[in-house]
Amino acid sequence: MPSLTCWCGEIIREDGDRPNCGHVLWDNAAGFYDRVASELLSFVQAQAGGRAGAWVKEHFEESIAPYEMTAGEAAESIVYQVSEGFCSGIYRCPKCGRIHIQVLGKQNKWESFVPERRTSDE
């Protein structure tokens, strides 16, 4: 489960207890579905040929995926990995309201914005 520490010290976690905490910003969706489909097909072919473990070892870092995965686990990991090149995470700190936007293509690099404490109708 992804998490980051806000400048105010609050730990922000992506979980169901804070439904509006994390979102995804698509920078460019062109090619995303084709890439996911290609990777899924590649995994299914490897699985059918008895090479699923080797495929997983070749395509994922050991720290994020075990070598033995079900098709569902592989699909989730593929979508997550491919999405890193197409979208950025957005998180709002529940304590101070700061917005943190993940720098595209960087796993743990964030730009932060402080709210102006006014709304558009003011």
Side-chain angles (χ1 to χ4, degrees):
M1 171 183 320
S3 68
L4 66 109
T5 302
C6 181
W7 292 103
C8 74
E10 180 77 2
I11 296 175
I12 304 168
R13 289 185 176 82
E14 186 177 280
D15 60 28
D17 294 337
R18 296 178 178 167
N20 294 316
C21 184
H23 296 282
V24 173
L25 172 68
W26 287 91
D27 291 304
N28 180 6
F32 172 76
Y33 296 107
D34 291 338
R35 177 97 185 273
V36 168
S38 175
E39 291 292 310
L40 287 172
L41 178 61
S42 177
F43 174 78
V44 169
Q45 290 171 335
Q47 191 177 40
R51 296 176 283 105
W55 187 96
V56 168
K57 186 176 182 178
E58 181 181 319
H59 284 79
F60 300 115
E61 295 177 28
E62 184 177 350
S63 63
I64 65 166
Y67 295 146
E68 297 300 321
M69 301 174 82
T70 66
E73 291 167 336
E76 182 178 350
S77 295
I78 287 167
V79 169
Y80 178 76
Q81 184 180 48
V82 171
S83 70
E84 287 181 345
F86 291 89
C87 60
S88 302
I90 299 177
Y91 295 89
R92 181 173 187 207
C93 178
K95 184 176 177 183
C96 72
R98 248 184 207 94
I99 303 294
H100 302 276
I101 300 176
Q102 183 181 20
V103 176
L104 182 63
K106 305 290 183 183
Q107 193 165 16
N108 199 20
K109 189 168 185 169
W110 302 85
E111 292 180 304
S112 300
F113 302 88
V114 180
E116 294 181 8
R117 300 292 180 209
R118 63 182 181 144
T119 60
S120 59
D121 61 344
E122 292 178 350

mmCIF file of all heavy atoms in Angstrom, residues 22-62:
data_model
loop_
_atom_site.group_PDB
_atom_site.id
_atom_site.type_symbol
_atom_site.label_atom_id
_atom_site.label_comp_id
_atom_site.label_asym_id
_atom_site.label_seq_id
_atom_site.Cartn_x
_atom_site.Cartn_y
_atom_site.Cartn_z
ATOM 1 N N GLY A 22 -6.410 9.645 -2.321
ATOM 2 C CA GLY A 22 -5.541 9.424 -3.462
ATOM 3 C C GLY A 22 -6.287 9.274 -4.768
ATOM 4 O O GLY A 22 -7.348 8.672 -4.820
ATOM 5 N N HIS A 23 -5.729 9.823 -5.818
ATOM 6 C CA HIS A 23 -6.311 9.734 -7.155
ATOM 7 C C HIS A 23 -5.184 9.608 -8.167
ATOM 8 O O HIS A 23 -4.018 9.740 -7.837
ATOM 9 C CB HIS A 23 -7.159 10.966 -7.474
ATOM 10 C CG HIS A 23 -8.345 11.097 -6.585
ATOM 11 N ND1 HIS A 23 -9.481 10.364 -6.745
ATOM 12 C CD2 HIS A 23 -8.546 11.874 -5.490
ATOM 13 C CE1 HIS A 23 -10.355 10.688 -5.801
ATOM 14 N NE2 HIS A 23 -9.804 11.601 -5.021
ATOM 15 N N VAL A 24 -5.550 9.400 -9.407
ATOM 16 C CA VAL A 24 -4.584 9.273 -10.479
ATOM 17 C C VAL A 24 -4.824 10.376 -11.503
ATOM 18 O O VAL A 24 -5.957 10.659 -11.867
ATOM 19 C CB VAL A 24 -4.704 7.890 -11.157
ATOM 20 C CG1 VAL A 24 -3.834 7.804 -12.379
ATOM 21 C CG2 VAL A 24 -4.338 6.793 -10.171
ATOM 22 N N LEU A 25 -3.757 10.997 -11.946
ATOM 23 C CA LEU A 25 -3.814 12.022 -12.980
ATOM 24 C C LEU A 25 -3.176 11.440 -14.234
ATOM 25 O O LEU A 25 -2.000 11.086 -14.233
ATOM 26 C CB LEU A 25 -3.032 13.263 -12.530
ATOM 27 C CG LEU A 25 -2.820 14.364 -13.574
ATOM 28 C CD1 LEU A 25 -4.150 15.021 -13.919
ATOM 29 C CD2 LEU A 25 -1.840 15.393 -13.053
ATOM 30 N N TRP A 26 -3.959 11.300 -15.299
ATOM 31 C CA TRP A 26 -3.440 10.771 -16.553
ATOM 32 C C TRP A 26 -2.713 11.872 -17.293
ATOM 33 O O TRP A 26 -3.296 12.885 -17.640
ATOM 34 C CB TRP A 26 -4.580 10.229 -17.425
ATOM 35 C CG TRP A 26 -5.107 8.945 -16.893
ATOM 36 C CD1 TRP A 26 -6.140 8.781 -16.014
ATOM 37 C CD2 TRP A 26 -4.616 7.639 -17.158
ATOM 38 N NE1 TRP A 26 -6.315 7.458 -15.723
ATOM 39 C CE2 TRP A 26 -5.396 6.729 -16.414
ATOM 40 C CE3 TRP A 26 -3.584 7.149 -17.953
ATOM 41 C CZ2 TRP A 26 -5.173 5.360 -16.452
ATOM 42 C CZ3 TRP A 26 -3.378 5.783 -17.984
ATOM 43 C CH2 TRP A 26 -4.170 4.903 -17.241
ATOM 44 N N ASP A 27 -1.436 11.679 -17.537
ATOM 45 C CA ASP A 27 -0.660 12.639 -18.310
ATOM 46 C C ASP A 27 -0.828 12.379 -19.796
ATOM 47 O O ASP A 27 -0.838 13.293 -20.596
ATOM 48 C CB ASP A 27 0.818 12.567 -17.921
ATOM 49 C CG ASP A 27 1.044 13.095 -16.513
ATOM 50 O OD1 ASP A 27 0.655 14.245 -16.256
ATOM 51 O OD2 ASP A 27 1.566 12.358 -15.677
ATOM 52 N N ASN A 28 -0.946 11.106 -20.168
ATOM 53 C CA ASN A 28 -1.120 10.735 -21.561
ATOM 54 C C ASN A 28 -1.530 9.275 -21.601
ATOM 55 O O ASN A 28 -0.725 8.399 -21.316
ATOM 56 C CB ASN A 28 0.187 10.950 -22.330
ATOM 57 C CG ASN A 28 0.063 10.583 -23.789
ATOM 58 O OD1 ASN A 28 -1.022 10.262 -24.269
ATOM 59 N ND2 ASN A 28 1.164 10.622 -24.492
ATOM 60 N N ALA A 29 -2.776 8.995 -21.952
ATOM 61 C CA ALA A 29 -3.283 7.624 -21.945
ATOM 62 C C ALA A 29 -3.054 6.899 -23.268
ATOM 63 O O ALA A 29 -3.289 5.708 -23.355
ATOM 64 C CB ALA A 29 -4.776 7.626 -21.606
ATOM 65 N N ALA A 30 -2.587 7.600 -24.300
ATOM 66 C CA ALA A 30 -2.390 6.981 -25.606
ATOM 67 C C ALA A 30 -1.374 5.842 -25.492
ATOM 68 O O ALA A 30 -0.264 6.024 -25.028
ATOM 69 C CB ALA A 30 -1.917 8.012 -26.620
ATOM 70 N N GLY A 31 -1.769 4.670 -25.888
ATOM 71 C CA GLY A 31 -0.897 3.512 -25.866
ATOM 72 C C GLY A 31 -0.954 2.691 -24.595
ATOM 73 O O GLY A 31 -0.415 1.592 -24.548
ATOM 74 N N PHE A 32 -1.597 3.215 -23.551
ATOM 75 C CA PHE A 32 -1.655 2.503 -22.271
ATOM 76 C C PHE A 32 -2.306 1.127 -22.424
ATOM 77 O O PHE A 32 -1.737 0.115 -22.026
ATOM 78 C CB PHE A 32 -2.403 3.341 -21.230
ATOM 79 C CG PHE A 32 -2.666 2.602 -19.945
ATOM 80 C CD1 PHE A 32 -1.654 2.408 -19.031
ATOM 81 C CD2 PHE A 32 -3.927 2.102 -19.657
ATOM 82 C CE1 PHE A 32 -1.884 1.718 -17.844
ATOM 83 C CE2 PHE A 32 -4.169 1.416 -18.474
ATOM 84 C CZ PHE A 32 -3.147 1.232 -17.566
ATOM 85 N N TYR A 33 -3.497 1.086 -23.005
ATOM 86 C CA TYR A 33 -4.231 -0.182 -23.101
ATOM 87 C C TYR A 33 -3.526 -1.173 -24.009
ATOM 88 O O TYR A 33 -3.514 -2.375 -23.741
ATOM 89 C CB TYR A 33 -5.668 0.069 -23.556
ATOM 90 C CG TYR A 33 -6.436 0.889 -22.542
ATOM 91 C CD1 TYR A 33 -6.744 2.222 -22.781
ATOM 92 C CD2 TYR A 33 -6.826 0.337 -21.327
ATOM 93 C CE1 TYR A 33 -7.422 2.981 -21.833
ATOM 94 C CE2 TYR A 33 -7.501 1.083 -20.377
ATOM 95 C CZ TYR A 33 -7.802 2.411 -20.639
ATOM 96 O OH TYR A 33 -8.462 3.157 -19.703
ATOM 97 N N ASP A 34 -2.908 -0.685 -25.085
ATOM 98 C CA ASP A 34 -2.156 -1.572 -25.971
ATOM 99 C C ASP A 34 -0.972 -2.204 -25.234
ATOM 100 O O ASP A 34 -0.689 -3.388 -25.384
ATOM 101 C CB ASP A 34 -1.645 -0.812 -27.198
ATOM 102 C CG ASP A 34 -2.764 -0.399 -28.139
ATOM 103 O OD1 ASP A 34 -3.846 -1.015 -28.096
ATOM 104 O OD2 ASP A 34 -2.549 0.556 -28.912
ATOM 105 N N ARG A 35 -0.303 -1.403 -24.437
ATOM 106 C CA ARG A 35 0.852 -1.907 -23.678
ATOM 107 C C ARG A 35 0.419 -2.920 -22.627
ATOM 108 O O ARG A 35 1.063 -3.960 -22.463
ATOM 109 C CB ARG A 35 1.578 -0.729 -23.029
ATOM 110 C CG ARG A 35 2.722 -1.091 -22.163
ATOM 111 C CD ARG A 35 4.069 -0.989 -22.888
ATOM 112 N NE ARG A 35 5.118 -1.462 -22.015
ATOM 113 C CZ ARG A 35 5.753 -0.700 -21.133
ATOM 114 N NH1 ARG A 35 5.480 0.579 -21.056
ATOM 115 N NH2 ARG A 35 6.683 -1.217 -20.362
ATOM 116 N N VAL A 36 -0.684 -2.647 -21.922
ATOM 117 C CA VAL A 36 -1.191 -3.591 -20.925
ATOM 118 C C VAL A 36 -1.586 -4.894 -21.605
ATOM 119 O O VAL A 36 -1.231 -5.991 -21.142
ATOM 120 C CB VAL A 36 -2.382 -2.991 -20.141
ATOM 121 C CG1 VAL A 36 -3.092 -4.072 -19.328
ATOM 122 C CG2 VAL A 36 -1.908 -1.875 -19.221
ATOM 123 N N ALA A 37 -2.312 -4.798 -22.717
ATOM 124 C CA ALA A 37 -2.744 -6.002 -23.439
ATOM 125 C C ALA A 37 -1.548 -6.823 -23.904
ATOM 126 O O ALA A 37 -1.548 -8.063 -23.791
ATOM 127 C CB ALA A 37 -3.625 -5.620 -24.623
ATOM 128 N N SER A 38 -0.533 -6.167 -24.406
ATOM 129 C CA SER A 38 0.672 -6.853 -24.873
ATOM 130 C C SER A 38 1.374 -7.581 -23.725
ATOM 131 O O SER A 38 1.784 -8.740 -23.866
ATOM 132 C CB SER A 38 1.621 -5.836 -25.512
ATOM 133 O OG SER A 38 2.829 -6.446 -25.863
ATOM 134 N N GLU A 39 1.499 -6.919 -22.591
ATOM 135 C CA GLU A 39 2.146 -7.538 -21.426
ATOM 136 C C GLU A 39 1.319 -8.704 -20.884
ATOM 137 O O GLU A 39 1.867 -9.741 -20.506
ATOM 138 C CB GLU A 39 2.384 -6.502 -20.330
ATOM 139 C CG GLU A 39 3.435 -5.470 -20.679
ATOM 140 C CD GLU A 39 4.832 -6.062 -20.757
ATOM 141 O OE1 GLU A 39 5.249 -6.768 -19.830
ATOM 142 O OE2 GLU A 39 5.502 -5.819 -21.777
ATOM 143 N N LEU A 40 -0.005 -8.532 -20.841
ATOM 144 C CA LEU A 40 -0.875 -9.620 -20.376
ATOM 145 C C LEU A 40 -0.765 -10.838 -21.286
ATOM 146 O O LEU A 40 -0.662 -11.974 -20.817
ATOM 147 C CB LEU A 40 -2.332 -9.155 -20.300
ATOM 148 C CG LEU A 40 -2.679 -8.210 -19.164
ATOM 149 C CD1 LEU A 40 -4.098 -7.684 -19.338
ATOM 150 C CD2 LEU A 40 -2.536 -8.901 -17.816
ATOM 151 N N LEU A 41 -0.796 -10.614 -22.588
ATOM 152 C CA LEU A 41 -0.668 -11.705 -23.549
ATOM 153 C C LEU A 41 0.678 -12.411 -23.377
ATOM 154 O O LEU A 41 0.753 -13.637 -23.382
ATOM 155 C CB LEU A 41 -0.824 -11.190 -24.976
ATOM 156 C CG LEU A 41 -0.656 -12.232 -26.083
ATOM 157 C CD1 LEU A 41 -1.705 -13.340 -25.941
ATOM 158 C CD2 LEU A 41 -0.752 -11.569 -27.452
ATOM 159 N N SER A 42 1.725 -11.643 -23.186
ATOM 160 C CA SER A 42 3.048 -12.203 -22.979
ATOM 161 C C SER A 42 3.076 -13.099 -21.742
ATOM 162 O O SER A 42 3.632 -14.204 -21.765
ATOM 163 C CB SER A 42 4.065 -11.068 -22.846
ATOM 164 O OG SER A 42 5.345 -11.567 -22.575
ATOM 165 N N PHE A 43 2.458 -12.645 -20.647
ATOM 166 C CA PHE A 43 2.407 -13.457 -19.425
ATOM 167 C C PHE A 43 1.605 -14.730 -19.650
ATOM 168 O O PHE A 43 2.033 -15.823 -19.246
ATOM 169 C CB PHE A 43 1.820 -12.676 -18.252
ATOM 170 C CG PHE A 43 1.620 -13.540 -17.036
ATOM 171 C CD1 PHE A 43 2.697 -13.864 -16.233
ATOM 172 C CD2 PHE A 43 0.370 -14.049 -16.716
ATOM 173 C CE1 PHE A 43 2.531 -14.692 -15.124
ATOM 174 C CE2 PHE A 43 0.195 -14.869 -15.613
ATOM 175 C CZ PHE A 43 1.278 -15.188 -14.808
ATOM 176 N N VAL A 44 0.443 -14.623 -20.274
ATOM 177 C CA VAL A 44 -0.412 -15.792 -20.510
ATOM 178 C C VAL A 44 0.320 -16.829 -21.369
ATOM 179 O O VAL A 44 0.256 -18.036 -21.109
ATOM 180 C CB VAL A 44 -1.756 -15.368 -21.146
ATOM 181 C CG1 VAL A 44 -2.535 -16.567 -21.647
ATOM 182 C CG2 VAL A 44 -2.580 -14.576 -20.140
ATOM 183 N N GLN A 45 1.040 -16.367 -22.388
ATOM 184 C CA GLN A 45 1.810 -17.284 -23.236
ATOM 185 C C GLN A 45 2.920 -17.964 -22.435
ATOM 186 O O GLN A 45 3.149 -19.167 -22.584
ATOM 187 C CB GLN A 45 2.390 -16.538 -24.436
ATOM 188 C CG GLN A 45 1.336 -16.129 -25.435
ATOM 189 C CD GLN A 45 1.875 -15.210 -26.520
ATOM 190 O OE1 GLN A 45 2.866 -14.508 -26.331
ATOM 191 N NE2 GLN A 45 1.188 -15.194 -27.663
ATOM 192 N N ALA A 46 3.582 -17.200 -21.579
ATOM 193 C CA ALA A 46 4.632 -17.780 -20.731
ATOM 194 C C ALA A 46 4.039 -18.793 -19.765
ATOM 195 O O ALA A 46 4.605 -19.871 -19.546
ATOM 196 C CB ALA A 46 5.370 -16.683 -19.967
ATOM 197 N N GLN A 47 2.879 -18.466 -19.206
ATOM 198 C CA GLN A 47 2.205 -19.367 -18.272
ATOM 199 C C GLN A 47 1.817 -20.669 -18.974
ATOM 200 O O GLN A 47 2.024 -21.752 -18.433
ATOM 201 C CB GLN A 47 0.978 -18.681 -17.682
ATOM 202 C CG GLN A 47 0.349 -19.417 -16.522
ATOM 203 C CD GLN A 47 -0.829 -18.648 -15.937
ATOM 204 O OE1 GLN A 47 -1.619 -18.070 -16.666
ATOM 205 N NE2 GLN A 47 -0.927 -18.656 -14.624
ATOM 206 N N ALA A 48 1.280 -20.557 -20.186
ATOM 207 C CA ALA A 48 0.884 -21.747 -20.950
ATOM 208 C C ALA A 48 2.091 -22.617 -21.293
ATOM 209 O O ALA A 48 1.979 -23.842 -21.386
ATOM 210 C CB ALA A 48 0.160 -21.332 -22.228
ATOM 211 N N GLY A 49 3.243 -21.997 -21.458
ATOM 212 C CA GLY A 49 4.469 -22.729 -21.771
ATOM 213 C C GLY A 49 5.252 -23.161 -20.546
ATOM 214 O O GLY A 49 6.377 -23.652 -20.670
ATOM 215 N N GLY A 50 4.684 -22.951 -19.358
ATOM 216 C CA GLY A 50 5.349 -23.356 -18.128
ATOM 217 C C GLY A 50 6.503 -22.456 -17.715
ATOM 218 O O GLY A 50 7.361 -22.851 -16.936
ATOM 219 N N ARG A 51 6.519 -21.229 -18.224
ATOM 220 C CA ARG A 51 7.608 -20.295 -17.936
ATOM 221 C C ARG A 51 7.138 -19.067 -17.167
ATOM 222 O O ARG A 51 7.771 -18.017 -17.214
ATOM 223 C CB ARG A 51 8.264 -19.855 -19.252
ATOM 224 C CG ARG A 51 8.947 -20.972 -20.018
ATOM 225 C CD ARG A 51 9.510 -20.509 -21.356
ATOM 226 N NE ARG A 51 8.421 -20.375 -22.350
ATOM 227 C CZ ARG A 51 7.898 -19.214 -22.767
ATOM 228 N NH1 ARG A 51 8.315 -18.079 -22.308
ATOM 229 N NH2 ARG A 51 6.928 -19.204 -23.652
ATOM 230 N N ALA A 52 6.020 -19.169 -16.466
ATOM 231 C CA ALA A 52 5.461 -18.004 -15.768
ATOM 232 C C ALA A 52 6.425 -17.434 -14.731
ATOM 233 O O ALA A 52 6.605 -16.220 -14.639
ATOM 234 C CB ALA A 52 4.131 -18.349 -15.111
ATOM 235 N N GLY A 53 7.066 -18.295 -13.947
ATOM 236 C CA GLY A 53 8.005 -17.827 -12.926
ATOM 237 C C GLY A 53 9.167 -17.062 -13.530
ATOM 238 O O GLY A 53 9.573 -16.015 -13.028
ATOM 239 N N ALA A 54 9.717 -17.578 -14.621
ATOM 240 C CA ALA A 54 10.829 -16.905 -15.293
ATOM 241 C C ALA A 54 10.365 -15.566 -15.882
ATOM 242 O O ALA A 54 11.096 -14.572 -15.846
ATOM 243 C CB ALA A 54 11.399 -17.792 -16.393
ATOM 244 N N TRP A 55 9.141 -15.542 -16.411
ATOM 245 C CA TRP A 55 8.601 -14.300 -16.979
ATOM 246 C C TRP A 55 8.478 -13.234 -15.895
ATOM 247 O O TRP A 55 8.881 -12.088 -16.086
ATOM 248 C CB TRP A 55 7.245 -14.564 -17.629
ATOM 249 C CG TRP A 55 6.706 -13.394 -18.386
ATOM 250 C CD1 TRP A 55 6.823 -13.162 -19.721
ATOM 251 C CD2 TRP A 55 5.963 -12.281 -17.852
ATOM 252 N NE1 TRP A 55 6.216 -11.977 -20.057
ATOM 253 C CE2 TRP A 55 5.676 -11.412 -18.929
ATOM 254 C CE3 TRP A 55 5.523 -11.927 -16.593
ATOM 255 C CZ2 TRP A 55 4.964 -10.230 -18.764
ATOM 256 C CZ3 TRP A 55 4.827 -10.747 -16.421
ATOM 257 C CH2 TRP A 55 4.548 -9.912 -17.506
ATOM 258 N N VAL A 56 7.925 -13.617 -14.747
ATOM 259 C CA VAL A 56 7.759 -12.672 -13.635
ATOM 260 C C VAL A 56 9.119 -12.160 -13.180
ATOM 261 O O VAL A 56 9.311 -10.958 -12.972
ATOM 262 C CB VAL A 56 6.987 -13.325 -12.469
ATOM 263 C CG1 VAL A 56 7.053 -12.470 -11.210
ATOM 264 C CG2 VAL A 56 5.541 -13.574 -12.858
ATOM 265 N N LYS A 57 10.096 -13.059 -13.052
ATOM 266 C CA LYS A 57 11.439 -12.667 -12.617
ATOM 267 C C LYS A 57 12.056 -11.679 -13.596
ATOM 268 O O LYS A 57 12.727 -10.723 -13.201
ATOM 269 C CB LYS A 57 12.318 -13.906 -12.487
ATOM 270 C CG LYS A 57 13.678 -13.637 -11.919
ATOM 271 C CD LYS A 57 14.453 -14.931 -11.731
ATOM 272 C CE LYS A 57 15.813 -14.658 -11.108
ATOM 273 N NZ LYS A 57 16.552 -15.900 -10.871
ATOM 274 N N GLU A 58 11.804 -11.869 -14.878
ATOM 275 C CA GLU A 58 12.361 -11.000 -15.912
ATOM 276 C C GLU A 58 11.678 -9.630 -15.972
ATOM 277 O O GLU A 58 12.307 -8.623 -16.257
ATOM 278 C CB GLU A 58 12.215 -11.688 -17.269
ATOM 279 C CG GLU A 58 12.758 -10.916 -18.432
ATOM 280 C CD GLU A 58 12.547 -11.654 -19.746
ATOM 281 O OE1 GLU A 58 12.719 -12.883 -19.779
ATOM 282 O OE2 GLU A 58 12.192 -10.981 -20.730
ATOM 283 N N HIS A 59 10.373 -9.581 -15.674
ATOM 284 C CA HIS A 59 9.595 -8.351 -15.866
ATOM 285 C C HIS A 59 9.403 -7.488 -14.618
ATOM 286 O O HIS A 59 9.034 -6.323 -14.738
ATOM 287 C CB HIS A 59 8.216 -8.689 -16.450
ATOM 288 C CG HIS A 59 8.272 -9.023 -17.897
ATOM 289 N ND1 HIS A 59 8.677 -10.256 -18.356
ATOM 290 C CD2 HIS A 59 8.000 -8.289 -18.983
ATOM 291 C CE1 HIS A 59 8.637 -10.264 -19.668
ATOM 292 N NE2 HIS A 59 8.239 -9.079 -20.075
ATOM 293 N N PHE A 60 9.617 -8.036 -13.442
ATOM 294 C CA PHE A 60 9.370 -7.284 -12.215
ATOM 295 C C PHE A 60 10.574 -7.335 -11.294
ATOM 296 O O PHE A 60 11.322 -8.307 -11.294
ATOM 297 C CB PHE A 60 8.162 -7.828 -11.452
ATOM 298 C CG PHE A 60 6.876 -7.784 -12.211
ATOM 299 C CD1 PHE A 60 6.229 -8.958 -12.558
ATOM 300 C CD2 PHE A 60 6.302 -6.585 -12.583
ATOM 301 C CE1 PHE A 60 5.033 -8.925 -13.259
ATOM 302 C CE2 PHE A 60 5.111 -6.539 -13.277
ATOM 303 C CZ PHE A 60 4.478 -7.719 -13.614
ATOM 304 N N GLU A 61 10.696 -6.300 -10.459
ATOM 305 C CA GLU A 61 11.709 -6.312 -9.416
ATOM 306 C C GLU A 61 11.302 -7.326 -8.366
ATOM 307 O O GLU A 61 10.123 -7.468 -8.051
ATOM 308 C CB GLU A 61 11.798 -4.935 -8.757
ATOM 309 C CG GLU A 61 12.287 -3.836 -9.667
ATOM 310 C CD GLU A 61 12.274 -2.490 -8.975
ATOM 311 O OE1 GLU A 61 12.409 -2.453 -7.734
ATOM 312 O OE2 GLU A 61 12.118 -1.492 -9.678
ATOM 313 N N GLU A 62 12.272 -8.007 -7.798
ATOM 314 C CA GLU A 62 11.995 -9.032 -6.793
ATOM 315 C C GLU A 62 11.239 -8.457 -5.594
ATOM 316 O O GLU A 62 10.415 -9.121 -4.996
ATOM 317 C CB GLU A 62 13.301 -9.666 -6.332
ATOM 318 C CG GLU A 62 13.106 -10.804 -5.362
ATOM 319 C CD GLU A 62 14.417 -11.463 -4.976
ATOM 320 O OE1 GLU A 62 15.455 -11.171 -5.601
ATOM 321 O OE2 GLU A 62 14.393 -12.263 -4.039
#
